[in-house]
Amino acid sequence: MLARSGILTSVDGETVAVENASAGGAILLVCEHASAHLPAAVGTLGLSSEALSSHIAWDPGALALCRLLSAKLDATIIHQRFSRLVYDCNRPPESPAAMPEKSEIYEIPGNKDLSVAERYARTAAIYVPFHDRISAELARRTAGERGSVLVTVHSFTPVYFGKPRAVEIGILHDTDSRLADAILEGAAKTGRFRVERNSPYGPEDGVTHTLRLHALPAGHANVMIEVRNDLIANSVDQEVMADYLAGLIADAVSVVGGQ
Ligand SMILES: [Zn+2]
């Protein structure tokens, strides 16, 4: 029996959102953890409202930051409309973290002992259309002889397992570090925020899935940016951060170029 096979219903709307679709710049902004929203069919996954609005459900501030970057960099945004608690689109279907049974200190009852059919239904409804949309956008640009630079935007919690994190901005990369190197070089010159390479996560944690899937095979310059969420908690701070990052990204792209 295909339990919960109708993971998305008519009340849920589309899986993928595209904003500033007619932007002409080389950069494509992707936000996998933009939303804390859950499909009606999964209810609350057995979680409290506190957990459902916390960083385990989404990346607070990341989509707002993306929107400001989109305007400053003339960049299209593709973002996921559902919480990573139902499917974490920065993880492949075979990863236990794609539909986590535990996230930081929270057990997720609604993700315990999912059947193969349930995992398949979530993958088909949430993960596949999201990554198909990114692939289609990159293919469209390549067909039009237009270069692409993939920038994924995330936020992280300032306190993890009770431990404060000192890093303020993480510049993450996989095997292609061209864009990350150029951004880190620019950041070192400003000395403004505490900016670190592959921190607080790195490729060894499996967080470069989107980069590996879409940028590495085609040779598109790419980077994953992680901002500590207390630095983008309100619109004033988001604007400051967007100005700072847009400058760094634009300078770095002018060095590395789009492919
Ligand atoms: Zn994230």
Side-chain angles (χ1 to χ4, degrees), residues 125-197:
I126 311 275
Y127 173 86
V128 171
F130 182 71
H131 286 288
D132 276 357
R133 189 67 190 79
I134 298 170
S135 295
E137 175 61 21
L138 292 170
R140 184 181 75 81
R141 293 169 177 221
T142 301
E145 296 186 358
R146 177 176 160 199
S148 289
V149 172
L150 182 65
V151 176
T152 69
V153 178
H154 295 257
S155 72
F156 63 94
T157 180
V159 179
Y160 195 59
F161 285 108
K163 228 181 129 191
R165 285 161 154 170
V167 57
E168 295 181 307
I169 300 171
I171 302 299
L172 284 63
H173 61 81
D174 202 278
T175 53
D176 176 0
S177 67
R178 291 171 296 161
L179 189 60
D181 292 344
I183 291 173
L184 284 161
E185 208 171 294
K189 282 183 198 145
T190 73
R192 205 158 140 215
F193 288 100
R194 183 158 172 174
V195 186
E196 294 181 7
R197 182 189 299 270

Side-chain angles (χ1 to χ4, degrees), residues 12-36:
D12 293 313
E14 297 293 318
T15 303
V16 191
V18 181
E19 295 185 19
N20 203 3
S22 60
I27 295 164
L28 176 63
L29 294 165
V30 169
C31 198
E32 300 98 318
H33 305 148
S35 174

Side-chain angles (χ1 to χ4, degrees), residues 14-224:
E14 297 293 318
T15 303
V16 191
V18 181
E19 295 185 19
N20 203 3
S22 60
I27 295 164
L28 176 63
L29 294 165
V30 169
C31 198
E32 300 98 318
H33 305 148
S35 174
H37 186 66
L38 289 173
V42 303
T44 62
L45 295 172
L47 290 165
S48 67
S49 56
E50 180 215 349
L52 288 174
S53 59
S54 77
H55 68 92
I56 71 162
W58 67 314
D59 285 356
L63 180 58
L65 179 61
C66 247
R67 286 176 170 148
L68 296 171
L69 289 172
S70 164
K72 292 173 197 297
L73 296 166
D74 189 26
T76 296
I77 305 174
I78 297 179
H79 64 91
Q80 172 56 249
R81 289 191 58 255
F82 294 100
S83 170
R84 66 169 157 214
L85 291 172
V86 67
Y87 191 108
D88 182 336
C89 279
N90 196 26
R91 295 292 192 288
E94 65 274 18
S95 167
M99 292 159 254
E101 295 190 358
K102 193 172 180 189
S103 180
E104 201 202 2
I105 55 172
Y106 299 92
E107 301 282 343
I108 304 164
N111 285 355
K112 284 257 184 272
D113 304 319
L114 291 175
S115 68
V116 170
E118 286 168 332
R119 296 182 73 85
Y120 179 82
R122 291 191 189 189
T123 303
I126 311 275
Y127 173 86
V128 171
F130 182 71
H131 286 288
D132 276 357
R133 189 67 190 79
I134 298 170
S135 295
E137 175 61 21
L138 292 170
R140 184 181 75 81
R141 293 169 177 221
T142 301
E145 296 186 358
R146 177 176 160 199
S148 289
V149 172
L150 182 65
V151 176
T152 69
V153 178
H154 295 257
S155 72
F156 63 94
T157 180
V159 179
Y160 195 59
F161 285 108
K163 228 181 129 191
R165 285 161 154 170
V167 57
E168 295 181 307
I169 300 171
I171 302 299
L172 284 63
H173 61 81
D174 202 278
T175 53
D176 176 0
S177 67
R178 291 171 296 161
L179 189 60
D181 292 344
I183 291 173
L184 284 161
E185 208 171 294
K189 282 183 198 145
T190 73
R192 205 158 140 215
F193 288 100
R194 183 158 172 174
V195 186
E196 294 181 7
R197 182 189 299 270
N198 285 333
S199 174
Y201 311 103
E204 68 280 5
D205 301 305
V207 300
T208 52
H209 177 63
T210 298
L211 305 183
R212 293 176 66 87
L213 198 59
H214 298 289
L216 299 189
H220 300 307
N222 64 91
V223 71
M224 173 176 173

